Amino acid sequence: MRDDPRLPSSPGFWRSPLRGPRFTSVLGLVLLVGITVLFVTGLVSYAAYNPGLSPVNDKTPDKGILGFYLFAWPTNPHWLYRLNQGVHVTLGITLIPVLLAKLWSVIPRLFALPPARSLAHALERISLLLLVGGALFEFVTGVLNVQLDYVFPGSFYPLHFYGAWVFFAAFVAHALLKMPTALRNLRHLREERNDLVTPRPAAPTVSRRGALWFVGGGSLLLFATTVGQNFDGLLRRTALLAPHGGGDPGSGPNGFQINKTAASRGISGAETSDEAWRLVVTGPAGTVRLSRAQLAALPLHSSALPIACVEGWSTSDQWWRGVRLRDLAALVGYDADDPPDVFVESLQRRGAFRSAALRANQVADPRSLLALYVNGEELSPDHGYPARIIVPAAPGVLNTKWVARMTFGDL
């Protein structure tokens, strides 16, 4: 069976003259750097959710030792999450042609017989299967999430989180096994001879250098049609492959991108009216109920902060105005200079993150607001009217909209 050229287990079945160790090594080294950056930015993104703070923020409660990296998420620089998630999503999409080319270049090895020639070879094959399966799983689920196509057999967060650990473990094992060979192949330009080189090559239609340029061009095209979602204005319109790219968010002070509309979350005008809506704030001194007019009569402060989403899109800095979170903590018995954590609940009745927790350092930051206005105008319903949270460097879902209740205390 191994020598029958009609079967994929035969080296003669794969006839492309492009395959070879040097071609594969170039792609592999690009992925080595790129996937390492993806893994690190993914862990940083997950840490930004403060999963160790409260069960409502933790989408992977059984993570065990995999949560060892978690730390108090900082508020400086205020664009930290915007940069991290922009790099994570844009780089992930940009690497898709490289990943596909890499898988194409080594596909003969997936069918090689016998399956294992030694213990070391068996370990290499297992790492390769986990690597290929994990890569496809991570890239597919990531792209589906960015495209707002939630067809997962469960929540995206634990699927992507645990899938990343399985994939990266296999990636590290495979990289350690193959790194010496990859570097040797790059140093030597002589004619290549190994199991990737077909014994009966077909007529070439493109050179290996041309193939690498083709892969690089595909990556550049994906980059150019994705990266614009991290900016406002004309650049956003170039993000043709991103749902938050070419769409028109409208004009005026509230004319910037949103993720969840009021209608999609069942928020009605009746419950956000001045007569009906009250903010309930609770702490050791008791509970305070405030109308929007009463909030507006408190000392107001301004902050220039962006909105940044796990899906990779973000806005430029918007000018928010409202009551500092630390001042609200002081209303219910805490020292404004040393406030505690806060648990925030929304009028939203369905969907993930209808409630969220913020750490004490986020509450204490003077730029953290319960915003009533944006860019000099009242918040629109889609931007969270009558009041929303805005915190520097926090993921967008933690900037709760349509706030109904805030409970201060250690979580």
Side-chain angles (χ1 to χ4, degrees), residues 256-275:
F256 56 97
Q257 289 294 325
I258 60 168
N259 203 13
K260 301 181 293 187
T261 65
S264 71
R265 293 302 181 263
I267 307 297
S268 68
E271 60 188 334
T272 59
S273 67
D274 293 341
E275 295 76 21

Side-chain angles (χ1 to χ4, degrees), residues 26-369:
V26 171
L27 298 172
L29 289 178
V30 172
L31 289 175
L32 176 63
V33 175
I35 287 177
T36 300
V37 173
L38 285 180
F39 185 71
V40 172
T41 53
L43 290 185
V44 169
S45 175
Y46 190 76
Y49 281 74
N50 292 328
L53 175 63
S54 172
V56 299
N57 288 23
D58 191 0
K59 300 302 179 182
T60 56
D62 301 320
K63 60 185 178 296
I65 62 171
L66 299 183
F68 71 91
Y69 59 89
L70 298 179
F71 52 91
W73 184 249
T75 56
N76 284 306
H78 72 276
W79 40 259
L80 178 61
Y81 190 77
R82 181 186 184 191
L83 173 65
N84 182 85
Q85 205 58 19
V87 169
H88 183 75
V89 172
T90 303
L91 178 61
I93 292 175
T94 300
L95 286 177
I96 288 176
V98 183
L99 174 68
L100 294 178
K102 170 69 173 178
L103 294 179
W104 173 86
S105 73
V106 299
I107 197 170
R109 288 179 175 165
L110 299 180
F111 296 91
L113 295 175
R117 296 190 295 269
S118 65
L119 178 59
H121 185 245
L123 292 175
E124 180 185 334
R125 293 297 296 275
I126 292 171
S127 73
L128 184 60
L129 289 175
L130 290 174
L131 182 65
V132 172
L136 292 175
F137 180 83
E138 286 299 287
F139 276 81
V140 168
T141 55
V143 169
L144 288 175
N145 184 64
V146 169
Q147 295 297 323
L148 313 181
D149 196 358
Y150 305 120
V151 293
F152 318 110
S155 171
F156 167 77
Y157 296 98
L159 287 174
H160 205 65
F161 177 82
Y162 292 122
W165 276 108
V166 172
F167 164 65
F168 196 72
F171 178 75
V172 170
H174 194 74
L176 291 175
L177 289 168
K178 290 298 185 182
M179 180 63 72
T181 302
L183 293 176
R184 187 169 58 251
N185 289 330
L186 288 175
R187 285 197 302 264
H188 295 87
L189 302 179
R190 63 178 181 268
E191 183 67 18
E192 303 161 338
R193 285 289 178 263
N194 76 351
D195 58 339
L196 292 179
V197 180
T198 178
R200 55 189 200 102
T205 56
V206 65
S207 68
R208 285 176 182 166
R209 180 172 295 181
L212 289 174
W213 276 108
F214 179 76
V215 173
S219 290
L220 182 61
L221 178 63
L222 288 178
F223 175 83
T225 52
T226 303
V227 70
Q229 68 173 336
N230 298 288
F231 305 94
D232 289 329
L234 292 177
L235 276 177
R236 186 177 294 276
R237 294 183 180 277
T238 66
L240 303 177
L241 299 182
H244 294 281
D248 185 3
S251 58
N254 278 273
F256 56 97
Q257 289 294 325
I258 60 168
N259 203 13
K260 301 181 293 187
T261 65
S264 71
R265 293 302 181 263
I267 307 297
S268 68
E271 60 188 334
T272 59
S273 67
D274 293 341
E275 295 76 21
W277 183 82
R278 295 294 183 272
L279 174 69
V280 179
V281 186
T282 301
T287 297
V288 176
R289 293 172 58 87
L290 299 167
S291 67
R292 196 173 190 282
Q294 289 172 317
L295 282 169
L298 295 174
L300 300 183
H301 300 265
S302 297
S303 300
L305 299 172
I307 296 289
C309 184
V310 69
E311 293 150 6
W313 66 271
S314 60
T315 72
S316 59
D317 290 355
Q318 308 298 322
W319 194 253
W320 308 90
R321 188 163 177 79
V323 183
R324 295 188 303 190
L325 299 187
R326 59 195 292 178
D327 293 339
L328 289 172
L331 282 179
V332 290
Y334 287 101
D335 183 349
D337 294 325
D338 187 26
D341 308 327
V342 64
F343 181 63
V344 184
E345 299 173 83
S346 172
L347 290 173
Q348 176 183 334
R349 296 179 182 83
R350 60 180 183 271
F353 291 101
R354 64 161 299 276
S355 56
L358 297 171
R359 289 189 185 274
N361 67 304
Q362 294 173 310
V363 177
D365 193 296
R367 296 166 296 177
S368 298
L369 303 176

Side-chain angles (χ1 to χ4, degrees), residues 388-401:
R388 69 168 297 160
I389 298 292
I390 186 70
V391 173
V397 290
L398 299 187
N399 292 309
T400 308
K401 297 194 286 189

